Amino acid sequence: MKKFLSLLLVLAVLPVALLVVITPMDSQKQYIFGLISIGILCLMGLSKKRSISVIMVVMSVLLSTRYIYFRLTQTLHFNSEIETILGMGLFLAEVYVWVMLLLSYLQTVWPLKRELVQLPDDMSLWPTVDVYIPTYNEPLDVVRDTVLAAQCMDYPRDKMKIYLLDDGKRSEFAVFAADAGVGYITRNDNAHAKAGNLNHAMKLTNGELICVFDCDHVATRIFLQATVGGFLKDPKLALVQTPHYFYSPDPFERNLSVGRNIPNEGALFYGPIQQGNDNWNATFFCGSCAVIRRSALEEIGGFAVETVTEDAHTALKMQRLGWGSAFIDIPLAAGLATERLVLHVIQRTRWARGMTQIFRLDNPLFGRGLTIQQRLCYLSAMLYYQFALPRIAFVTAPLAYLLFNLNIIHSSASLVFAYALPHLFLAVYVNSRLNGRFRYSFWGEIYDLVMAFHIALPTMVTMLFPKRGKFNVTDKGGLLDVGYFDFSVVRPHLIIALLLAAGVVAGIVRACAHDYFGVDPRVIVLNVGWGLYSLIFLLAAIAVARETRQTRKTIRIDVDIPVLIHYASGITSRSQTADLSMGGCRIVAPDDRHLTDEIEAIELLLQSGAISIPVQTVASDEQHIRLMFDDIPLSRRRELVRVVLSRADAWIHPPKPQDNPFRSLLTIVRCVFDLFWLTWKSRRETRRLRAQQAAKVAQEESV
C-alpha cells in the first residue's frame, strides 16, 4: 500500500516537475524564479530533518535539469566549425556534471548508519580468520608494525592465523616472519600483482573468513570483533569494509597552508558515499581493512585479476551473484597516505585506469544480478574517473572568447547567468548540507584539477584499449629532507594559468574600450569572472606542488601513560607521557634533574605490565623531555604497538566543523595568497643567502 501511494504521489508531481524544467522565460522572469527558489531553499535549510533534505535534493535536481534543458534548446547555435566543436564539448562537459550530480544524490541522500553486530559469548562459534598482509617492495620498517598490530587483535589465537604475503621474496622478511611467529608465503612469479598474490595465498590457507590489510595499515585491537559478527548473523554476507583512515598527512594536508583544517580528500568516499552504497547493498571492497567470506570469493574464482583495481571489481562480481556487503563507519585501522604529490598522481591514475577497465570489461549497467540502485552506484564510481576532460573544458572555456573572440554559448550573458545561478547555488548548498562535514565546498574542484591533466590521456587510452597497462605499487614510508616545488607535476597547470591571466587582462582591456571593439560588456564581464574563478582554482592546485619537508617517520599521538625515568646516576623518577609514537615520546619533566643527568631508559607502566625501552634525549626544557627510542626487542615493540597504534579508540576523532561555502571559498583564496607570499619569501631568503655567500667569497679573496 505504501509503495502504491508513493507511486501515485510521483505521478501527481511529475507534470509539475516537467513544467518547472521546460517552461521558457526571459532573463528578468528567470531571475525572479531563480531568486525565489534560492529563498525557499534557504528557509528550508533552517530545518535539519532528513525529509527536508530530500525535498531540497529534488529542488536541486529540477533546477539543474532546467539549466541543462535551457542549454540544449536555446544555446547550441554556432557560426563556425571551431565554435561548434568547442561549444558542444563544453555542453557535453556540463551534461557529465549533471549526470554525476544526480548519481551523487542517489548515493548520499540515504546514508545507512550500520550498527555493530556482537559476536556470541561462545567463542567456539566464532569463525576462523586468515589475515593477509600482501607486500611487494615496501621496506620492512613499514610492514613490521602492521604485522605486530595484527597480532594484537583481540581474537582467539586458535581461530586467527596471520600471513605475510611477500611478492618481493626477501630473506629479511622471511626472518622477521619467523621471529614474529606469523606465516610467510611467497610464489615463483608475480602474475596479476596484488590480486595474484592474494589468490595464491588462498590456495595454501583455509580460514572461513579472509581479512586483508595493506602492508602499511595497522589494525586496532577490536577490528575483528567489530567486523566478524555480521557474517554469523547473515549467511549471505560476503564483505565487510571499514574506512581507510590515514594517520599521516596527504599532499593536500601537508603542502597547503590550511590543509589540516579541511576534511581529508578521502573523507567523502569513506563517509556518506560508502554509507549510501551500503544502503543499496553496493559497498565497494577497497583492497584493505576489510573482511571477506572465503566461500564467496571461491564462487567468483578468487580476487578479480582482469583489471588493476582488483578490489572494486571483486565486490562487483560477488554482488552480481547475490552476495551481500556492508560498510562499518568506524576507523578500525590506519595507514600511511601518499607522501608526495607525484606519488598521489601515480596512485590516482591507476585507480582511474582500473575503474575505466571495469566500465569497459564488466560494465555494471549490463549483465545479470544487480539491482538498478547497485548499477547506478557502480556507474557513479566509474564515471567519476572520467572527470579529466570536463574539468579541462570548464577551466579553459573562457579562453575561447577572451583570447579568440569565439562564441561557444549562443545566448545573452544575462540569460545564461539567470539560468546558471540557481543551478549552481542549489547544487553547492545542498551538497554542503548533505556532506559538509566530509567535503568542504569547492575543494573537490581542487582535487580534480590537480589530477585532470595527468589522467586525461590514460583514461582515454584505457577506454579504447582496456587491457593495456599494468599494476603499479604506491611507495609508502618515504621522507623528504628538503622542501621543493615540483614543477613537473603542475607544468600544464602553469601554462593554462598564464593563458587565463592573459585572457583576463585582455578581457578587462576590451571591457574598458567596448565601444571601440564593438562588444557587449556584459559578455566580457561574464567571461572575465569565469576566467578569474578558474584561475583561482588553478593557482590553488598549483600550490599543492610546493612540497614541504617530511622528516618525522612516525606519528605522535596524545596519550597519558605513567612512566619511570631511569637516569645514568641510578636515580629513578616517576612521570607521565605527553605524547607517544613508535619512534619516541615526550614526557612531562618531573623536576630539573634531566638538565644535568643523562636519561638511559624509560619504563611505560601498562595494565599488561611494564615495558623498558632504552632512549636517547633529543631535546628538553623545564616542562618536557623529548626522547628517541633505541632498538628494542620484537616482544617489547609489539607491546608498544598495542599502546600506540592498536588502541580501540586510536583513530576515532571528532568530525570537522560543518561546511560554510562562503568561508570555504575564502579559504581557497587564502591558499592562493599564501602561495605567492611563501614564494616571494623563499626567493628573498635565497637572495639573502646568496648575497652572504658572495660577500664571504669576496672577503676571502681580498685576504
Side-chain angles (χ1 to χ4, degrees):
M1 187 63 181
K2 185 180 292 186
K3 290 184 178 180
F4 178 72
L5 292 175
S6 299
L7 181 60
L8 285 179
L9 179 62
V10 170
L11 292 176
V13 172
L14 198 57
V16 178
L18 188 61
L19 285 175
V20 170
V21 170
I22 68 174
T23 302
M25 297 181 185
D26 58 28
S27 59
Q28 185 176 4
K29 292 179 180 177
Q30 175 60 28
Y31 271 122
I32 295 173
F33 176 73
L35 291 175
I36 290 175
S37 301
I38 291 173
I40 293 173
L41 190 84
C42 292
L43 288 175
M44 288 194 298
L46 298 176
S47 172
K48 303 303 180 184
K49 293 181 179 179
R50 173 61 57 178
S51 58
I52 297 297
S53 295
V54 174
I55 296 173
M56 294 169 71
V57 165
V58 172
M59 286 185 61
S60 176
V61 168
L62 290 178
L63 271 294
S64 294
T65 306
R66 176 174 174 79
Y67 171 76
I68 293 297
Y69 182 79
F70 157 74
R71 289 280 283 118
L72 176 66
T73 57
Q74 300 186 45
T75 67
L76 301 182
H77 307 285
F78 308 104
N79 300 320
S80 65
E81 291 183 359
I82 185 65
E83 287 181 346
T84 301
I85 294 172
L86 296 178
M88 289 303 299
L90 177 61
F91 175 68
L92 290 176
E94 290 181 289
V95 171
Y96 167 84
V97 171
W98 173 70
V99 171
M100 292 306 302
L101 180 68
L102 302 186
L103 293 175
S104 70
Y105 284 152
L106 171 73
Q107 288 182 290
T108 59
V109 74
W110 290 290
L112 176 61
K113 303 288 186 180
R114 186 179 291 269
E115 296 182 356
L116 299 182
V117 179
Q118 289 188 346
L119 286 164
D121 294 335
D122 185 358
M123 290 188 180
S124 65
L125 300 176
W126 294 13
T128 56
V129 182
D130 291 332
V131 180
Y132 292 167
I133 303 173
T135 178
Y136 174 57
N137 61 358
E138 299 84 358
L140 184 58
D141 286 344
V142 170
V143 182
R144 179 189 294 113
D145 291 339
T146 301
V147 174
L148 298 180
Q151 290 183 305
C152 292
M153 288 191 294
D154 293 333
Y155 207 77
R157 297 299 100 181
D158 61 329
K159 289 183 174 289
M160 178 181 70
K161 295 182 180 179
I162 301 168
Y163 298 94
L164 184 58
L165 315 182
D166 181 21
D167 253 9
K169 297 178 280 291
R170 292 157 290 183
S171 58
E172 66 271 24
F173 277 67
V175 171
F176 163 72
D179 291 342
V182 300
Y184 178 78
I185 297 177
T186 187
R187 54 183 178 146
N188 296 328
D189 58 22
N190 300 118
H192 302 303
K194 179 181 176 181
N197 195 5
L198 295 171
N199 286 333
H200 178 256
M202 283 184 64
K203 299 174 184 177
L204 305 177
T205 61
N206 55 15
E208 298 169 71
L209 304 177
I210 293 173
C211 178
V212 182
F213 292 111
D214 279 348
C215 65
D216 61 300
H217 277 122
V218 290
T220 60
R221 296 201 307 269
I222 66 168
F223 186 93
L224 288 179
Q225 290 197 29
T227 54
V228 168
F231 292 95
L232 294 177
K233 180 179 179 181
D234 181 4
K236 290 298 291 181
L237 180 64
L239 164 71
V240 173
Q241 178 68 56
T242 69
H244 286 194
Y245 178 88
F246 299 102
Y247 57 83
S248 65
D250 65 23
F252 299 93
E253 294 174 297
R254 193 179 66 253
N255 297 341
L256 294 178
S257 56
V258 297
R260 292 303 184 94
N261 300 325
I262 62 174
N264 179 274
E265 185 205 9
L268 177 63
F269 177 77
Y270 290 109
I273 290 181
Q274 277 284 55
Q275 289 177 354
N277 290 341
D278 192 15
N279 185 58
W280 305 118
N281 188 29
T283 298
F284 299 165
F285 171 41
C286 302
S288 180
C289 309
V291 183
I292 309 176
R293 193 186 296 271
R294 177 184 289 270
S295 59
L297 279 172
E298 291 174 342
E299 190 172 345
I300 63 169
F303 292 90
V305 298
E306 297 88 347
T307 65
V308 295
T309 48
E310 82 294 330
D311 40 18
H313 199 185
T314 298
L316 175 61
K317 284 187 167 187
M318 291 190 296
Q319 287 156 355
R320 279 195 185 279
L321 297 181
W323 287 98
S325 58
F327 176 71
I328 295 178
D329 184 32
I330 302 174
L332 299 172
L336 296 171
T338 49
E339 283 84 8
R340 301 194 304 279
L341 183 59
V342 65
L343 299 177
H344 183 87
V345 169
I346 292 172
Q347 183 188 66
R348 296 307 195 268
T349 301
R350 174 169 63 83
W351 293 0
R353 283 176 39 235
M355 297 307 286
T356 305
Q357 284 179 317
I358 299 175
F359 183 80
R360 280 295 316 277
L361 300 174
D362 193 10
N363 194 305
L365 289 179
F366 310 109
R368 298 180 179 179
L370 298 180
T371 64
I372 293 177
Q373 295 92 331
Q374 287 176 316
R375 295 176 194 273
L376 293 177
C377 287
Y378 274 99
L379 181 67
S380 175
M382 293 167 196
L383 286 184
Y384 168 75
Y385 284 103
Q386 310 309 312
F387 67 78
L389 289 180
R391 283 294 179 200
I392 294 172
F394 285 129
V395 82
T396 58
L399 296 175
Y401 182 81
L402 294 174
L403 293 182
F404 306 105
N405 200 31
L406 297 173
N407 288 299
I408 60 177
I409 301 178
H410 183 79
S411 181
S412 67
S414 59
L415 192 58
V416 171
F417 189 74
Y419 273 88
L421 176 63
H423 154 58
L424 296 174
F425 185 93
L426 266 68
V428 171
Y429 189 96
V430 174
N431 272 287
S432 175
R433 176 185 173 95
L434 294 177
N435 311 315
R437 293 188 183 277
F438 302 90
R439 171 69 60 82
Y440 284 174
S441 299
F442 309 109
W443 279 91
E445 297 191 38
I446 297 177
Y447 299 144
D448 291 351
L449 270 177
V450 167
M451 296 297 308
F453 294 95
H454 298 284
I455 73 168
L457 183 60
T459 51
M460 285 190 293
V461 171
T462 305
M463 189 67 76
L464 297 174
F465 308 101
K467 294 187 178 181
R468 286 191 179 181
K470 62 179 182 178
F471 186 95
N472 47 40
V473 178
T474 306
D475 294 334
K476 296 288 185 69
L479 300 178
L480 189 61
D481 296 329
V482 180
Y484 68 97
F485 191 88
D486 195 341
F487 282 98
S488 63
V489 176
V490 293
R491 187 176 291 114
H493 303 73
L494 290 167
I495 294 172
I496 301 300
L498 291 173
L499 290 174
L500 278 172
V504 168
V505 172
I508 293 173
V509 171
R510 291 168 65 189
C512 294
H514 61 88
D515 290 334
Y516 175 79
F517 289 101
V519 294
D520 185 351
R522 288 172 295 184
V523 175
I524 296 178
V525 169
L526 178 64
N527 281 276
V528 167
W530 189 352
L532 283 173
Y533 180 88
S534 299
L535 183 59
I536 288 171
F537 285 94
L538 262 178
L539 292 174
I542 291 169
V544 185
R546 190 181 59 84
E547 297 283 5
T548 56
R549 297 173 67 233
Q550 175 72 5
T551 57
R552 176 166 287 178
K553 198 170 186 179
T554 55
I555 190 71
R556 291 183 182 269
I557 62 173
D558 297 330
V559 57
D560 183 356
I561 296 176
V563 62
L564 294 178
I565 308 172
H566 297 281
Y567 295 92
S569 62
I571 297 175
T572 299
S573 296
R574 288 183 175 272
S575 184
Q576 66 273 352
T577 62
D579 57 48
L580 187 62
S581 77
M582 293 302 299
C585 65
R586 184 166 61 100
I587 60 178
V588 178
D591 47 45
D592 60 357
R593 186 177 292 112
H594 62 280
L595 300 176
T596 57
D597 200 350
E598 181 182 357
I599 298 176
E600 290 188 332
I602 63 169
E603 276 188 87
L604 298 174
L605 304 179
L606 312 175
Q607 293 181 351
S608 57
I611 308 175
S612 179
I613 306 174
V615 297
Q616 298 179 25
T617 302
V618 176
S620 62
D621 53 36
E622 294 181 355
Q623 284 79 35
H624 295 97
I625 310 169
R626 287 182 57 200
L627 303 171
M628 180 176 66
F629 297 154
D630 289 340
D631 291 336
I632 56 177
L634 205 58
S635 58
R636 294 184 189 176
R637 188 174 185 89
R638 186 181 295 109
E639 287 301 310
L640 190 60
V641 166
R642 184 186 297 273
V643 175
V644 178
L645 304 176
S646 290
R647 292 178 300 111
D649 61 345
W651 315 116
I652 298 177
H653 302 292
K656 296 288 186 180
Q658 176 65 29
D659 172 47
N660 180 304
F662 181 72
R663 188 187 305 124
S664 180
L665 185 59
L666 290 180
T667 301
I668 293 172
V669 174
R670 177 185 166 186
C671 288
V672 174
F673 173 79
D674 288 344
L675 171 65
F676 287 106
W677 165 251
L678 293 172
T679 301
W680 176 81
K681 188 176 179 181
S682 176
R683 289 188 174 184
R684 186 181 66 173
E685 182 66 16
T686 301
R687 286 196 298 268
R688 186 183 67 81
L689 292 175
R690 286 178 178 174
Q692 289 180 349
Q693 187 176 10
K696 183 178 180 180
V697 171
Q699 184 178 8
E700 291 176 351
E701 290 178 350
S702 63
V703 174

